Amino acid sequence: MFAQAVQETSLNQSSRLRSALRGLNALSADIEASAVISGDGLMLASMLDPHIDTDRYAAMCASLLALAERAAQEVYRGRLKRVMIEGEHGTMLLVQAGDDGVLAVAARQTVNLGMVFLEATKVAARIRALLDQPD
């Protein structure tokens, strides 16, 4: 009985997280993918292409954020808010979503970065609230 309740809670939370990601992805055709990852590298919800290894992607994103956080502390920059990675085919943004959540967003190089920063910050706050919600 308890295990079933925990599983239902987890599915409900995952559904709400995916809904937040769908809303983010719908804002612009230039947003190609998004995911919610736990601080220890577990995929909680995603809107990724099927060819992406979600476990590996989640682990790499969590590691990148942890390393960036340590680097920011080392040079006294305060608490880390986001990490931006710019590649030749687009941008990836990692946004802290509470103490144990990471929002990862991948966008084409034509995206309006200001809009992505603003909307990703709003969605990260929603994700933080969902992750902090006692079910």
Side-chain angles (χ1 to χ4, degrees):
M1 192 84 125
F2 177 73
Q4 182 180 358
V6 169
Q7 184 179 14
E8 286 176 10
T9 297
S10 177
L11 289 173
N12 193 17
Q13 182 183 61
S14 181
S15 175
R16 290 183 298 210
L17 291 171
R18 274 193 309 279
S19 177
L21 295 177
R22 274 192 300 276
L24 176 63
N25 288 20
L27 291 173
S28 170
D30 288 331
I31 297 177
E32 298 179 295
S34 60
V36 179
I37 301 158
S38 71
D40 57 354
L42 297 174
M43 185 65 71
L44 301 176
S46 69
M47 298 292 294
L48 300 171
D49 285 343
H51 71 277
I52 294 174
D53 181 335
T54 57
D55 292 335
R56 184 172 47 192
Y57 181 74
M60 288 187 291
C61 287
S63 294
L64 280 168
L65 199 67
L67 286 169
E69 191 165 13
R70 293 283 302 166
Q73 289 173 357
E74 193 66 27
V75 292
Y76 309 105
R77 298 300 96 186
R79 187 169 182 186
L80 184 71
K81 293 181 181 182
R82 71 182 68 89
V83 173
M84 186 179 89
I85 302 165
E86 189 173 359
E88 62 185 72
H89 299 293
T91 301
M92 192 168 117
L93 186 64
L94 302 174
V95 182
Q96 194 73 44
D99 291 334
D100 195 38
V102 179
L103 170 64
V105 181
R108 291 185 178 93
Q109 63 193 68
T110 55
V111 75
N112 175 330
L113 282 178
M115 183 272 301
V116 172
F117 276 35
L118 177 67
E119 295 302 330
T121 301
K122 288 178 187 177
V123 172
R126 284 184 50 212
I127 289 167
R128 179 183 315 113
L130 288 170
L131 293 176
D132 289 346
Q133 240 177 27
D135 288 314

